[in-house]
Amino acid sequence: MPYLVAGQGLSTGTASALLTLFVLVGIVAGPMFGVFTARHPLRRSWLVLSVILLTAGAWTVVLSVPPPAPLWLLVVLIVVLALGGPGSMVGFDYARTFNPGHLQGTAVGIVNVGGFLASLLVSWGIGVVLGAVGPGGYTPEAFRVAWTVQYAVWAFALAAVLIARRRARRKLAAAGVVVPPLREVLARLREQRHTPNR
């Protein structure tokens, strides 16, 4: 809310409407992400990577535009940000899949704490930068600089997902489960669409 009002010059009513949109998109995206992970368990990492990259991309565009950003761009940002909550829930699915039953409670706890810790560190980092850059109060330029703290977390998250995916696929391969490259899966789907039913 402070960013939308002080950093982007929106009225409190418009900012509230955007935050309501955030909640509504999350409500819709949650079940959709759940269905995707249930139907395509070997492709969950692509969903997580897509959410991270979309989030970083949306913020990059917004931060590259001198404030105030166009309202449509802020709507896009809010919609993309709303995907983050449901996207992070995939971590619980990983914990369930790759840990034995007697360790699942611990694994889920670690996922939960990790998510909150990342949020806490980002909030703290943004607050520190915001205080250092804009000691006279919240300014659009101070917000632009402060939000860049997120890039370090996105880089860490991308690296962590890719490393974990590589380890998981090695483990699956040892168990006889081969995960075909995405390009092969897409080529197979295209071929099925173009092949007439006999």
Side-chain angles (χ1 to χ4, degrees):
M1 181 65 86
Y3 171 66
L4 293 173
V5 175
Q8 290 293 344
L10 298 182
S11 67
T12 54
T14 303
S16 296
L18 287 179
L19 295 178
T20 301
L21 175 65
F22 178 91
V23 173
L24 294 174
V25 172
I27 290 170
V28 172
M32 292 172 65
F33 284 13
V35 169
F36 179 87
T37 57
R39 290 185 180 169
H40 309 285
L42 298 178
R43 301 296 167 193
R44 293 173 294 186
S45 60
W46 281 108
L47 178 62
V48 174
L49 292 169
S50 297
V51 169
I52 295 169
L53 292 172
L54 276 171
T55 303
W59 269 116
T60 299
V61 173
V62 169
L63 295 178
S64 67
V65 174
L71 183 59
W72 67 264
L73 183 55
L74 294 175
V75 168
V76 170
L77 176 67
I78 290 296
V79 168
V80 170
L81 291 180
L83 303 178
S88 68
M89 295 299 107
V90 177
F92 293 107
D93 198 37
Y94 281 126
R96 180 191 56 78
T97 303
F98 292 106
N99 288 283
H102 69 283
L103 292 177
Q104 285 191 5
T106 302
V108 166
I110 290 171
V111 169
N112 206 19
V113 169
F116 282 113
L117 180 62
S119 299
L120 179 67
L121 290 175
V122 169
S123 298
W124 175 77
I126 288 172
V128 167
V129 174
L130 198 56
V133 176
Y138 295 149
T139 65
E141 193 52 43
F143 273 114
R144 286 177 82 186
V145 174
W147 285 120
T148 60
V149 167
Q150 299 176 101
Y151 286 92
V153 177
W154 294 325
F156 176 80
L158 283 172
V161 170
L162 291 171
I163 291 168
R165 179 171 74 172
R166 190 175 304 120
R167 287 181 183 164
R169 289 187 176 178
R170 269 199 304 260
K171 194 173 180 180
L172 288 170
V177 178
V178 178
V179 181
L182 187 59
R183 65 180 174 279
E184 287 181 19
V185 174
L186 295 174
R188 200 177 315 135
L189 288 172
R190 278 195 301 273
E191 188 178 304
Q192 288 173 354
R193 277 194 213 126
H194 297 300
T195 303
N197 292 332
R198 294 184 181 180

